Amino acid sequence: MTGNLYRGQAGLPFSSALRIFEPLEAFPADQQGALRTAGDRSASRAAVENAELLASLGRITRPGGDPFPTGRTDLVRIVTAAPPNGTPDRLLYCPSQLVLRAGLAANALMEGIHGPLAQLLIPEEQRDRHQERIDEARSHAGLGRVHTRASTWGIPFSWFCLFQESDPTDVVEADGHIVTVRIRATISEALERVRYAVAHLALAAPDLDMLEDLTQLTEWLELFHPDSVAELDYGAVADKVYPDDSPLDVRLGIECLAEGDMTGAAAAYRRLASRWIPIRQLARAS
């Protein structure tokens, strides 16, 4: 059941993630022991994805109606990275930080157009209780940095600016389907690319919504250790769109805007739209 749940995710929204993996020394001292233990257990990525998905389904069906994670356990994803100076490979860690992320998601929901409905679904008492969990998590680990950004029903175009088609890519398949695709870049590469995009859009298209997204991405990336790695995890949507030229199309679109080539920019956007608008329309399908 667990494996099928992860591989199929039938009936669930497509969910993608942008994650930052940091070396052990980037974390507070009182957090390093738990991360090291997680590394020693070396659970597979599939096992971690299964555990997180099962936990989320369990929260929405448990008695009492409290959908928030308790923070008693926190899953950790791990990748092995080769430092550029030729020293031995080492582990990089990305904690799930479910307590912090659930609080941020709830706040965004309350402040959005569905705020009144969200207040009915998540009573104030439960929100207050979760705020206590957030305060406790921050008191033990400092303010920290949120290592994961998530998106449902499609990947924000701004995320593709961090990656190129030549970056290391893992294609995970099972039963004739693509379970997910994961692309990784060093944080220095990701920062160089996003700063290039910001600089060109600021001159060529300062009113473009994507410019604000890229500026926020830049500020977020700058919070992390210089030896970190950025990873784009497509999730189940990969089976619908991969092989995917989105990183190339976004880059070409920005370059065309910078050169004043509106025809080329429009062509790049049409390719992106034809690929991703049908996915986003699924969010409104009955």
Side-chain angles (χ1 to χ4, degrees), residues 1-10 12 44-51 53-54 172-175 179:
M1 175 182 174
T2 304
N4 290 337
L5 189 64
Y6 168 57
R7 293 173 185 173
Q9 300 188 36
L12 298 176
S44 69
R45 284 293 293 272
V48 174
E49 306 298 343
N50 278 326
L53 183 56
L54 284 169
V172 183
E173 299 181 82
D175 301 326
V179 176

Side-chain angles (χ1 to χ4, degrees), residues 242-253:
Y242 199 79
D244 179 32
D245 291 327
S246 295
L248 175 61
D249 287 333
V250 169
R251 188 169 72 253
L252 289 176

